């Protein structure tokens, strides 16, 4: 299907909003990369460059009460859940105003009030956790859903298997996204699995799956919507493979020489922002002026975020000792 | 499920069962997950009849996947539930190690998410279980900040500590000793009670030597104390009950009084909890010590299967008696 | 296909030998069960009653230099690898003459000299280990293969996933058997997985699979042979699901009330020993007299084994301290 | 890969690389597995160029599955190979915990199968890694009989211990400290050598106080010793090098001489290796002790990310100086 044909099922305002978040994500991550090059960032930088449509698409399809358990290339989802660019940068700078108050860094952002389960470096660890959140909703008869995401690499871990299987057996309201960007760090797909479509993994669990163009935000959104509806109706989980490509190195210190240049060239043409602009233009929803205006807005927000973050205080040493154990009042009621 | 009339004696196993039953009745957030806990009632029959009473979602049989169901418990806990998961044997907790230490233990510190859940771990030897059905895994988790660990030695504590664990806002591993399941009984209060986490108990007062211990070993220590009394050696037996956080106060007070200490546990000696307590005493009670701090523990091997090997492996009353004599003579 | 039609591809002596091992396995495990009821066994007893055809079938298809990494219902394989009934009973009694010298019990039998990797209780743990043995053969250019086995229950564990995936990616010479006896302890298949055929698990790895009648030793043998040939030729792993039924409780203290009686009645008719006798009779390879003669032979061997084991010494306490670390001379050259 | 001319200085990282290279050349049973170790050369570039030299099977990129590839290493080791697996960060070893503790550690004890393999675990903090890229997991494995653990502090030991680990017939976890990778250099012998497993080294002789330590902390201890010398306090610094089996002799000898001891490690304090050594001293060298056994270690929290938090978290030279002063005054 042509992108616009699919996209016409989406409201103009929704599609424009997604475009805005694509822009905001790109602008924010580019800015963080720039800060990294200036030596201002503490620790590593992982971006979703070229893959922004996935987390923007799925997070746009969720309701306020739903929950996400993202992985390390889901910046768009954070922003849509209400984590501000300032908070994200503060997190990268180790500031007290970051969502983890300096305890953890970069994309390890968690905040239950905004429905975000904090990422754990150990890939796939949060997939069983996501099934458990979905189980809680099912146990309480709530119609909430959980979306979680993994890379192609993460699907090789045992926790992926145990989570997928459990979700399928108990028909839990959880949607598994897989960001198949064809590499796990430097390892190409064919050294990770003997299948071409990660979606085939779902067959082991009797779980329905879809394959979508991960660079087309409209396609991702609609696919998420279908799966969410099904989950909310009690019809169980779905696995959605998003075909995409990692356009930066694994992290900012990786020049990704192991990726053939032609592959990158080819995918460059499928850039999700360009694609979204094309869709919006073809549908007559927006024009170049709108795009520039949104781009400017994104830039301003990110600059304000940089300012906020840079002016934010660092935590004080002894705060390192706080928070190992929770108090009763912190438990979700 | 066991319902106890006033004053009826219950076993350690029944005490655990009662705690689960009462907490599930009291708080609908509490639910159970594990292998074969439903119609079958669990490998040790702790949840017998539970699924009939609470339904197949609150007493949920999982696939054979410890990491998966511990992870699921973490997720449910963060959403406000109070999951209690059962390891069929504590030994299989190694399969869920990563979820426990990296996810459950660290979530609150990292990003403020409370993870109120309990992992029940039937542990310990003396049951001919061999290397994979007899382990004492508490030493591993003792070294993971963010976890609480309890290990009751009596039916009273078994019930009270399990209730406290379920009501605690943190991940708690509840080590229940298989050897004690049907071997000890007690009359329990009919009213609701908890045994607070973090409080040790002096099980027997004494003046000469403090034995710091927990779990099934408490009973060995008490036996040894009885035997030594006849020789004029007075043992004080401290039952830690909670392994993390440790009740330093009670331990220190005892050792400051007796000035001599023996660490006793069934877990392997090297890197066991006795090492930590000995180190704390050597650091913080040095001036009160009148003799070396002795340790009695299993040797540094897996738990062997054959009866003579396992008997040799496990600490014995005679080990305590001999150590106490040595220390008394010091 | 009718059993005899399949079985005619197997030599008479081979088929008779398998029948002998079916009998020996049944007789031995029945005897161990009897010893258990007399209170003579240390620890628990797990039998392969009703499932003997699987390990007898696959182990019969192996060459001397091949390796097995069995699970807890593979007694037939131990016997075929040359572990004697006496050693097995000694193991159950905790005697020093058991393969683990009393260090471990029951089916935790391992002996590299006879190509047996010792079972680990933690289900599926030995599947990655089996892939590693196969990798060693591949690295050295040897034409040896590994067969490993798991229950339906074990396939839910992450280690199953990681092993299957790795074997498929690297086309390792390993054959994965799955003993699908429809229960994991008390848990029926539908609470373990949302698929009807465990063989569907293999699709996640791009690994070919087969489904065979696990109660037909000839079918299992031929299926193993095909997979072994493929593995030896460098064409990678196969997953073989054997449909069967656990006819005893999970262990001897489990009365298995949770299994519907009718199911057991139905499977009783498919008993692997009865089936093998039928096959042998139909092919004209043997008659009732042969069967009784073999039965007697098995009984005698088992009785000799009981005698050996009962007269064997127990280990001495201090042996508990031996063997934590290996010496260099114990490493395989 | 790094090839060193006579007398060329190499970093700690290059020393590791050289050890791997030389062992692979010497013994064709040695092969490597891990994530991104092939064309990429590993996250820290330890195996850069190796795949070109040894081929894609002896330098084998695995799927992202620590339990799976550690299990595979166990299987290959039992078949007579000498696998060396790389954890991309030591932190991810939790995913392979079950294979390491239940399979690798116990196989020989249970049924006599030797498992000659090495797990390389880049560990430790000070690199802004946060809670999942800075861990010191040695405490967990210290409590698992059947494993050997080493943790070199210098390029010389890094090379010699890795060679010894590869040649050892047992599973060895090799803790290489990330902070040291490019920060320390040394001129190494050109001929083949090993540093024997199980031997500590007195890094600096002293008379007043023994500091027992390992890994990156050795350098802090040496700095502190230098500073304290000016105050007339003489520190003896013992570098354990091997954490399991412990070289009790060297430790005891040092403490019997100085009669005062400080345990120093970067791992969390409670249940750390310092606790065990303190316990051994309190049990077996009690009569030689002239003061409490102090412990300096990270507090019992995950490793925090932000610079001021991590700095606060990690042991510092001033901590050692202060502890030594206190002990000297005792
Ligand atoms: C259990 C575990 N092992 C290793 C790593 C180190 N690591 C971080 S990201 C990564 C590659 C991830 O690949 P993929 O899942 O495909 O996600 P991508 O980065 O390609 O989006 C690796 C190996 C990790 N984080 N967790
Ligand atoms: C990791 C792990 N968890 C739990 C157990 C306890 N346990 C032993 S056998 C068993 C059921 C196994 O089912 P399956 O794999 O189908 O094999 P079967 O016994 O049916 O042949 C369970 C749960 C175990 N051995 N290992
Ligand atoms: Mg990827
Ligand atoms: Mg089964």
């Amino acid at each position: 299907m042509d992108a616009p044909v699919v996209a016409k099922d989406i409201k103009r305002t929704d599609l424009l909003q997604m475009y805005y978040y694509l822009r905001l994500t790109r602008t924010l991550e580019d800015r963080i990369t720039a800060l990294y090059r200036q030596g201002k960032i503490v620790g590593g930088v992982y971006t979703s460059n070229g893959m922004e449509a996935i987390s923007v698409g799925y997070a746009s399809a969720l309701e306020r009460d739903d929950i996400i358990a993202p992985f390390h290339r889901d910046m768009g989802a954070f922003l849509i859940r209400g984590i501000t660019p300032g908070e994200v940068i503060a997190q990268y700078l180790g500031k007290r105003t970051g969502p983890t108050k300096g305890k953890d860094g970069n994309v390890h952002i968690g905040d239950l009030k905004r429905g975000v389960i904090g990422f754990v470096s150990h890939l796939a660890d949060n997939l069983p956790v996501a099934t458990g959140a979905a189980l809680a909703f099912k146990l309480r008869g709530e119609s909430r859903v959980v979306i979680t995401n993994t890379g192609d690499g993460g699907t090789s871990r045992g926790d992926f298997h145990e989570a997928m299987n459990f979700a399928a057996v108990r028909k839990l309201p959880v949607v598994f996204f897989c960001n198949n960007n064809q590499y796990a760090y430097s390892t190409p797909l064919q050294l990770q699995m003997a299948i071409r479509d990660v979606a085939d993994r779902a067959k082991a669990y009797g779980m329905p799956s879809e394959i979508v163009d991960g660079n087309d935000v409209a396609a991702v959104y609609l696919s998420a919507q279908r799966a969410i509806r099904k989950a909310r109706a009690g019809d169980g989980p779905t696995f959605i493979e998003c075909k995409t490509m990692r356009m930066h190195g694994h992290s900012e210190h990786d020049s990704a020489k192991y990726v053939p240049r032609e592959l990158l060239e080819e995918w460059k043409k499928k850039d999700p922002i360009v694609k979204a602009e094309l869709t919006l233009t073809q549908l007559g929803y927006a024009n170049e002026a709108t795009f520039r205006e949104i781009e400017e807005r994104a830039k301003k927000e990110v600059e304000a975020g940089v300012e906020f973050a840079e002016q934010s205080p660092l935590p004080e040493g002894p705060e390192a000792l706080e928070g190992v154990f929770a108090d009763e009042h912190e438990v979700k009621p | 499920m066991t319902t106890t009339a006033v004053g009826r004696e219950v076993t350690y196993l029944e005490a655990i069962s009662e705690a689960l039953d009462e907490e599930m009745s009291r708080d609908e957030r509490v639910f159970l997950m594990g292998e074969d806990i439903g119609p079958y009632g669990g490998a040790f029959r702790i949840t017998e009849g539970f699924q009939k009473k609470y339904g197949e979602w609150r007493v949920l049989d999982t696939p054979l996947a410890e990491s998966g169901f511990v992870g699921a418990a973490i997720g449910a806990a963060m959403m406000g539930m109070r999951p209690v998961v059962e390891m069929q044997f504590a030994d299989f907790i190694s399969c869920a190690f990563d979820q426990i230490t990296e996810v459950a233990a660290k979530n609150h510190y990292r990003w403020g998410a409370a993870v109120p859940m309990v992992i029940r771990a039937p542990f310990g030897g003396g049951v001919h279980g061999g290397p994979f059905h007899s382990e004492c895994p508490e030493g591993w988790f003792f070294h993971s900040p963010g976890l609480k660990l309890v290990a009751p030695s009596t039916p009273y504590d078994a019930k009270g500590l399990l209730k406290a664990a379920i009501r605690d806002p943190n991940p708690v591993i509840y080590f229940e000793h298989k050897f004690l399941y049907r071997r000890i009984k007690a009359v329990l209060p009919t009213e609701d009670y908890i045994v607070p986490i973090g409080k040790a108990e002096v099980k027997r007062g004494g003046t000469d030597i403090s034995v710091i211990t927990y779990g099934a070993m408490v009973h060995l220590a008490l036996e040894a104390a009885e035997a030594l009394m006849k020789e004029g050696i007075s043992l004080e037996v401290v039952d830690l009950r909670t392994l993390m956080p440790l009740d330093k106060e009670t331990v220190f007070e005892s050792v400051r009084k007796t000035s001599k200490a023996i660490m006793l546990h069934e877990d392997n000696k090297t890197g066991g909890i006795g090492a930590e307590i000995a180190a704390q005493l050597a650091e913080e009670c040095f001036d009160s010590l009148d003799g070396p701090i002795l340790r009695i523990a299993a040797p540094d091997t897996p738990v062997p299967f054959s009866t003579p090997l396992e008997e040799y492996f496990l600490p014995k009353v005679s080990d305590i008696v001999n150590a106490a004599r040595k220390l008394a003579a010091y």
Side-chain angles (χ1 to χ4, degrees), chain A, chain B:
Chain A
M1 251 189 290
D2 265 349
V5 183
V6 174
K8 77 172 168 26
D9 293 338
I10 309 176
K11 277 193 301 193
R12 174 177 178 275
T13 46
D14 288 346
L15 213 49
L16 269 174
Q17 171 124 321
M18 287 185 236
Y19 176 73
Y20 160 71
Y21 277 115
L22 289 175
R23 266 289 168 214
L24 188 61
T25 303
R26 175 77 52 93
T27 310
L28 174 58
E29 293 189 332
D30 281 352
R31 192 68 175 83
I32 289 167
T33 304
L35 287 168
Y36 178 81
R37 300 219 169 107
Q38 291 164 32
K40 290 196 175 166
I41 295 288
V42 183
V45 170
Y46 309 83
T47 77
S48 61
N49 191 286
M51 296 163 279
E52 297 91 341
I54 299 163
S55 70
V56 169
Y58 80 65
S60 298
L62 288 169
E63 301 294 328
R64 220 185 109 79
D65 270 356
D66 296 332
I67 291 280
I68 61 167
F71 90 134
H72 57 285
R73 305 201 194 275
D74 278 346
M75 183 61 80
F78 291 134
L79 296 170
I80 292 171
R81 299 308 292 186
I83 313 288
T84 66
E87 286 176 285
V88 172
I89 300 166
Q91 169 88 356
Y92 264 102
L93 298 177
K95 297 297 180 80
R96 199 195 274 139
T97 53
T100 65
K101 301 179 180 152
K103 294 287 182 56
D104 207 338
N106 54 63
V107 289
H108 293 216
I109 290 172
D111 181 359
L112 285 184
K113 285 196 204 68
R114 291 179 277 190
V116 180
I117 291 180
F119 176 62
V120 175
S121 287
H122 298 56
L123 294 172
D125 271 19
N126 261 349
L127 303 186
V129 173
T131 66
L135 176 62
F137 300 157
K138 184 141 188 164
L139 281 164
R140 293 194 298 243
E142 296 169 356
S143 69
R144 297 158 72 187
V145 305
V146 183
I147 288 192
T148 186
N149 199 357
T150 170
D152 43 291
T155 70
S156 296
R157 274 211 57 234
D159 275 20
F160 167 83
H161 178 73
E162 299 192 5
M164 291 281 287
N165 192 49
F166 186 57
V169 170
R170 292 289 174 173
K171 279 184 171 280
L172 300 177
V174 52
V175 181
F176 295 90
F177 266 81
C178 174
N179 197 312
N180 176 5
N181 60 12
Q182 307 176 53
Y183 285 85
Y185 207 154
S186 75
T187 309
L189 213 60
Q190 72 273 18
L191 288 182
Q192 300 180 50
M193 56 190 85
I195 49 178
R196 295 183 66 128
D197 297 319
V198 186
D200 283 351
R201 295 264 205 239
K203 293 180 184 166
Y205 316 104
M207 191 188 295
S209 67
E210 280 197 22
I211 297 176
V212 298
D213 177 353
N215 285 26
D216 181 349
V217 74
V220 174
Y221 173 82
L222 289 169
S223 166
Q225 220 175 33
R226 280 188 295 277
I228 290 168
R229 260 190 217 128
K230 207 167 61 176
R232 245 191 258 292
D235 294 331
T238 308
F239 183 80
I240 300 175
E241 175 184 1
C242 298
K243 302 275 192 194
T244 187
M245 181 69 204
R246 201 189 67 208
M247 300 302 288
H248 280 182
H250 169 65
S251 68
E252 283 316 313
H253 70 263
D254 168 25
S255 58
K257 289 208 202 91
Y258 47 82
V259 180
R261 290 302 108 176
E262 316 80 67
L263 197 61
L264 290 174
E265 291 307 323
E266 186 194 318
W267 280 89
K268 183 115 192 98
K269 295 181 205 136
K270 305 183 199 165
D271 185 279
I273 294 190
V274 176
K275 211 164 206 165
E277 290 183 352
L278 201 71
T279 304
L280 283 160
T281 310
Q282 287 182 343
L283 287 168
Y285 287 175
N287 58 24
E288 196 54 32
T290 337
F291 302 144
R292 291 298 73 80
E293 184 251 310
I294 288 175
E295 192 177 355
E296 277 316 304
R297 183 145 63 92
K299 271 199 187 131
K300 274 205 195 106
E301 288 193 40
V302 168
E303 285 319 311
V306 173
E307 179 136 343
F308 166 82
E310 289 195 330
Q311 284 175 9
S312 289
L314 284 166
E316 310 257 351
E319 291 171 35
L321 303 182
E322 295 169 9
V324 174
F325 290 112
D327 289 333
E328 182 56 34
H329 70 87
E330 295 175 284
V331 171
K332 276 224 142 184
Chain B
M1 201 163 342
T2 324
T3 39
T4 319
V6 186
R8 222 204 77 196
E9 268 198 338
V10 298
T11 61
Y12 182 94
L13 185 146
E14 288 163 339
I16 294 169
S17 194
E18 281 187 7
L20 289 173
D21 187 17
E22 289 175 21
E23 290 303 296
M24 288 185 79
S25 297
R26 188 187 61 77
D27 183 348
E28 59 178 24
R29 297 173 301 176
V30 179
F31 75 103
L32 316 182
M33 278 198 280
E35 293 152 2
D36 308 295
I37 64 169
Y40 192 63
F44 296 103
R45 306 308 174 89
I46 300 243
T47 56
E48 188 136 42
F50 275 55
Q51 203 180 59
K52 274 227 176 74
K53 184 164 174 186
Y54 297 107
E56 72 156 327
W57 286 89
R58 284 188 74 197
V59 184
L60 195 150
D61 271 332
T62 63
L64 205 163
E66 283 77 7
S67 190
F69 69 70
V70 166
I74 294 169
M78 290 196 298
M79 294 301 118
M81 301 298 291
R82 298 275 189 171
V84 181
V85 303
E86 175 177 299
M87 292 289 144
Q88 201 156 82
F89 285 80
D91 310 62
F92 304 132
I93 205 167
S94 55
C95 299
F97 186 83
D98 172 58
Q99 283 287 342
I100 298 170
T101 60
E102 302 304 309
V103 191
K106 293 182 178 167
N107 267 357
H108 188 264
Y109 183 79
R110 292 172 49 235
W111 58 284
V115 184
M117 64 181 279
V118 178
I119 299 175
R120 287 183 37 236
F123 81 131
V127 295
H128 306 306
F132 297 125
H133 290 76
S134 312
E135 286 179 60
C136 290
E138 64 270 22
W140 293 328
F141 298 101
F142 184 67
H143 189 56
S144 281
L147 303 175
K148 295 189 177 179
L149 313 177
V150 298
S153 69
T154 65
Y156 182 89
D157 289 350
K159 185 167 180 180
L161 278 171
L162 184 47
K163 284 179 168 240
I166 292 172
R167 298 177 196 181
D168 197 276
N170 294 285
V172 182
I173 310 183
Y174 178 89
F175 292 98
E176 48 191 71
H177 204 294
K178 299 191 297 289
F179 186 82
L180 301 178
Y181 272 159
R182 295 186 166 87
R183 282 190 180 80
I184 55 169
K185 291 188 174 193
V187 178
L188 301 189
T190 44
E191 64 278 9
D192 182 50
Y193 72 94
I194 64 153
V195 170
I197 292 181
K199 291 268 168 260
E201 187 184 35
V202 177
K203 269 275 184 268
R204 177 186 172 116
T207 51
D208 298 334
I209 298 167
S210 301
V211 178
I212 318 295
T213 186
Y214 60 91
M217 291 293 120
V218 170
H219 303 280
L220 261 62
L222 292 172
E223 252 188 76
E226 199 58 34
L228 286 159
M229 199 177 56
K230 292 166 203 143
E231 306 180 15
I233 301 175
S234 164
L235 244 53
E236 175 146 310
V237 177
V238 179
D239 179 359
L240 292 170
R241 302 197 296 190
T242 294
L243 308 181
M244 178 58 69
L246 280 171
D247 182 357
K248 284 169 70 155
E249 256 173 70
T250 303
V251 173
F252 286 8
E253 198 181 310
S254 173
V255 177
R256 286 198 178 111
K257 182 179 71 178
T258 61
S259 76
K260 286 175 182 168
I262 295 172
M263 309 293 121
L264 167 67
H265 56 62
E266 188 187 320
D267 194 0
N268 299 119
K269 180 171 182 180
T270 298
I273 291 173
E276 173 63 28
I277 299 175
Q280 291 186 6
L281 292 170
E283 181 157 15
E284 301 179 54
C285 299
F286 182 76
D287 295 330
S288 311
L289 289 174
D290 268 350
I293 304 169
L294 302 188
R295 283 188 291 164
I296 302 167
D300 292 330
T301 77
V303 187
F305 170 76
S306 184
T307 311
L309 301 181
E310 192 182 15
E311 276 172 7
Y312 185 87
F313 172 89
L314 292 171
K316 280 164 280 298
V317 172
S318 58
D319 295 331
I320 310 167
V321 168
N322 291 337
R325 283 185 190 143
K326 196 170 127 186
L327 213 48
Y330 206 86

